């Protein structure tokens, strides 16, 4: 998440980046929807490319 927020360089994120520990403490990284869902890893260094993840989703949906 830090990598993504740093990369997007949005002005609204400056407080988050400067106070990362305080900001991160407010996030529940284990929170998941109560309905069936897929998790997409959109980090730049993800083990599986975003394109391959999309292919996997289409394989399970269609």
């Amino acid at each position: 998440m830090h990598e993504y927020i740093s990369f997007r360089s949005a002005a609204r994120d400056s407080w988050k980046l400067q106070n990362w520990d305080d900001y991160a403490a407010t996030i529940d990284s284990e929170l998941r929807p109560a309905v069936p869902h897929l998790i997409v890893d959109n980090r730049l260094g993800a083990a599986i490319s975003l394109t391959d993840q999309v292919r996997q989703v289409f394989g399970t949906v269609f």
Side-chain angles (χ1 to χ4, degrees):
M1 181 183 281
H2 188 277
E3 180 181 337
Y4 172 75
I5 290 175
S6 295
F7 179 75
R8 73 180 174 190
S9 299
R12 67 181 182 271
D13 295 330
S14 61
W15 183 90
K16 296 172 190 172
L17 294 169
Q18 293 170 6
N19 301 280
W20 186 254
D21 290 337
D22 293 333
Y23 172 69
T26 67
I27 298 171
D28 180 0
S29 63
E30 298 301 316
L31 180 65
R32 299 291 184 263
V35 297
H37 64 281
L38 299 166
I39 297 173
V40 175
D41 185 348
N42 66 347
R43 294 175 294 167
L44 296 175
I48 301 173
S49 74
L50 191 55
T51 303
D52 288 336
Q53 291 180 71
V54 170
R55 285 186 186 120
Q56 289 176 355
V57 168
F58 282 127
T60 60
V61 174
F62 297 106

